Amino acid sequence: GWRLTMIDSAHSAIDMETFLWKPDRAGMQILAHLLAAADRGVRVRVLLDDSFTPHEDLLLHDIDLHPNIEFRIYNPYRHRPQSMAGRTLFNVGDFSRVNHRLHNKLLVVDGWVANVGGRNLADEYFGLHSEHNFRDMEVMTMGASVADAEQHFDTFWNSGWSFPVAEVLQPPEESKGLSSPRDSLQAKVGVVDSPAEETLERRWSDVAGQAQPGHARFVSDQPAHADPALAAEAPVQLAAALRELLHSAQREIILVSAYLVPTEELANAIHRVEQRGVQVRILTNSMRSNNHLSAHAAYQGYLGGLVQSGVEVHEVRADAQNRQVYMQAPVEAKRLGLHAKFMLVDDDRVFVGSSNLDPRSLKLNTELGLIIDSPPLNRQLRDLLQLDLAPQNAWSVQLAEDGELVWVGDGEVLH
């Protein structure tokens, strides 16, 4: 709701970058509101990673025809068959380049408000999917950090990795110009009626009264000049900032990550803070809630060592009793997963961003986030996490007397 309100409030400029954007209910709503903003005269720039664009060439081409909308594709595939398997096969000789992706998620409106976090643009990230939905996390921020976010966007937009749609796509023969997406959006979403200025002013006044005060520092990776595989150009700036944040902890760290496969540097950082007496708690996905079993298999190799060293590990239950908080009813047949990426340090600092705690996020992809000094926000997120960590919603991974791992839940023990 607030993403759409941000778009509807725009007077001059909207800048957005994202990793995944599906033409489903949520994705088409966002597109419809962006198109309505462009029709009002707002300049709209969208930077989209090329990972999930198969079958979308026609839509991207036609929307890009709007005089106030410009799409750019990050690190496009050279060979573009209309299937994920085909792209993987035909680009296998270029693997080291195409394996580097833009995982950033950012929305900036008029240079004064930004939305930062881990959420992709599709039904399952907004609790609207009929089978499997995620618990996710974003922060809407105003203040000095927004200027840094805008500068970050310009850096990526103007980098050698971002290409205008017209340079990437061949004009589809079936293109009917802007009339085709307009008709499709009207059929799926209906007519977008932008709220009156007075209504928007009331919404912003309300959210200002609910906001938590603090100081936010925007951090992000940098696009490589030529080759991200080179050590000097690798997108590791955010990973370094996260390790620095970990090392600053004095009492407690709570890590929330959809995918947890510690790099050597991250594992060493966790080990060192534990040796200083800092309590480390982790919330990640269980095997049933994880949508990437390969990532879960890699995580399993580290799990025993983490628990043995004293890390408190919790895994989201796909059948969490309180999953209705994160998805549209009815929920009986729906699974819950975790997609949020945030960190609480002591009782005063918060990180919210796009980065998982795995080698792909920390070494290969570009990522971004906010490091926020705010005891009230830290306390608010800590309170919200109590529901996620409750035994009816998460497994507690523990060592049994025989040294084997067990998963302890609400009256259940799994081996």
Side-chain angles (χ1 to χ4, degrees):
W2 271 106
R3 177 178 270 99
L4 299 183
T5 296
M6 288 175 65
I7 294 170
D8 292 342
S9 302
H11 289 99
S12 58
I14 297 171
D15 290 330
M16 188 175 85
E17 55 186 352
T18 190
F19 174 66
L20 181 154
W21 190 359
K22 292 183 182 178
D24 56 13
R25 177 180 169 187
M28 294 298 265
Q29 270 194 298
I30 292 164
L31 181 58
H33 283 253
L34 287 172
L35 186 59
D39 289 342
R40 297 196 308 270
V42 176
R43 183 204 69 186
V44 178
R45 297 187 296 177
V46 177
L47 181 56
L48 180 63
D49 187 78
D50 203 24
S51 293
F52 292 92
T53 57
H55 310 296
E56 306 307 331
D57 284 6
L58 177 61
L59 181 61
L60 290 171
H61 171 271
D62 289 351
I63 290 290
D64 191 62
L65 294 174
H66 195 294
N68 291 328
I69 297 179
E70 186 177 359
F71 272 90
R72 291 191 179 181
I73 305 297
Y74 188 86
N75 195 16
Y77 288 86
R78 185 170 288 111
H79 305 288
R80 307 183 61 77
Q82 291 300 299
S83 73
M84 295 295 292
R87 288 195 181 183
T88 301
L89 179 64
F90 282 96
N91 290 279
V92 69
D94 199 17
F95 179 77
S96 64
R97 177 182 70 84
V98 299
N99 196 36
H100 165 68
R101 307 308 329 164
L102 174 134
H103 199 238
N104 309 342
K105 289 99 171 176
L106 174 69
L107 174 65
V108 183
V109 171
D110 290 349
W112 67 272
V113 60
N115 182 296
V116 176
R119 199 183 311 268
N120 290 309
L121 308 184
D123 283 352
E124 57 265 38
Y125 301 93
F126 293 91
L128 302 174
H129 199 274
S130 61
E131 297 176 359
H132 182 225
N133 291 278
F134 292 109
R135 184 254 202 270
D136 223 320
M137 171 63 68
E138 293 169 296
V139 164
M140 188 166 65
T141 182
M142 298 171 231
S145 60
V146 180
D148 293 333
E150 188 80 325
Q151 184 177 0
H152 152 90
F153 182 89
D154 285 338
T155 298
F156 273 80
W157 183 260
N158 295 310
S159 75
W161 297 88
S162 302
F163 292 82
V165 161
E167 293 183 15
V168 176
L169 308 180
Q170 294 294 325
E173 293 181 3
E174 61 269 41
S175 173
K176 298 179 182 177
L178 272 170
S179 61
S180 180
R182 285 190 190 278
D183 291 344
S184 178
L185 287 168
Q186 186 161 349
K188 293 183 178 180
V189 177
V191 177
V192 174
D193 293 320
S194 298
E197 286 290 326
E198 294 79 7
T199 301
L200 291 169
E201 287 176 9
R202 283 196 299 272
R203 289 183 187 175
W204 287 108
S205 178
D206 289 344
V207 82
Q210 301 164 14
Q212 301 292 4
H215 177 268
R217 176 165 64 97
F218 183 86
V219 291
S220 72
D221 291 322
Q222 295 297 313
H225 294 291
D227 185 358
L230 298 174
E233 298 189 26
V236 294
Q237 292 83 14
L238 184 133
L242 291 183
R243 290 198 301 274
E244 181 181 337
L245 182 61
L246 284 171
H247 286 307
S248 71
Q250 299 299 313
R251 294 176 299 281
E252 183 185 34
I253 297 168
I254 301 177
L255 303 172
V256 179
S257 180
Y259 314 116
L260 177 65
V261 185
T263 60
E264 182 179 356
E265 296 88 348
L266 177 62
N268 289 338
I270 292 174
H271 180 64
R272 283 197 290 271
V273 297
E274 276 194 301
Q275 286 185 318
R276 290 196 284 107
V278 176
Q279 181 185 15
V280 179
R281 304 166 73 191
I282 293 175
L283 177 66
T284 190
N285 273 304
S286 63
M287 186 164 66
R288 282 192 64 206
S289 70
N290 202 320
N291 64 324
H292 289 299
L293 284 180
S294 58
H296 193 79
Y299 152 75
Q300 287 285 327
Y302 294 91
L303 179 56
L306 288 170
V307 175
Q308 287 175 351
S309 69
V311 175
E312 187 180 312
V313 179
H314 300 266
E315 296 180 356
V316 170
R317 294 183 62 144
D319 61 349
Q321 289 184 26
N322 298 110
R323 62 192 185 280
Q324 78 280 355
V325 172
Y326 303 123
M327 62 183 79
Q328 199 172 59
V331 303
E332 287 75 15
K334 299 177 182 178
R335 291 185 299 120
L336 177 67
L338 178 69
H339 195 257
K341 306 102 168 45
F342 65 100
M343 181 191 310
L344 306 182
V345 177
D346 294 334
D347 58 2
D348 57 349
R349 280 156 294 159
V350 176
F351 167 79
V352 178
S354 64
S355 177
N356 294 299
L357 299 179
D358 66 359
R360 172 158 288 283
S361 282
L362 299 175
K363 290 189 172 184
L364 291 174
N365 294 342
T366 63
E367 307 283 357
L368 56 77
L370 290 170
I371 296 176
I372 306 164
D373 290 322
S374 173
L377 179 62
N378 182 296
R379 185 165 56 251
Q380 183 181 22
L381 292 179
R382 192 177 292 271
D383 291 342
L384 287 170
L385 269 174
Q386 296 310 306
L387 186 67
D388 298 291
L389 298 173
Q392 70 270 22
N393 297 317
W395 300 104
S396 172
V397 187
Q398 302 176 14
L399 281 176
E401 291 183 0
D402 60 3
E404 295 296 318
L405 292 177
V406 291
W407 283 254
V408 180
D410 192 16
E412 295 180 83
V413 178
L414 303 182
H415 297 264

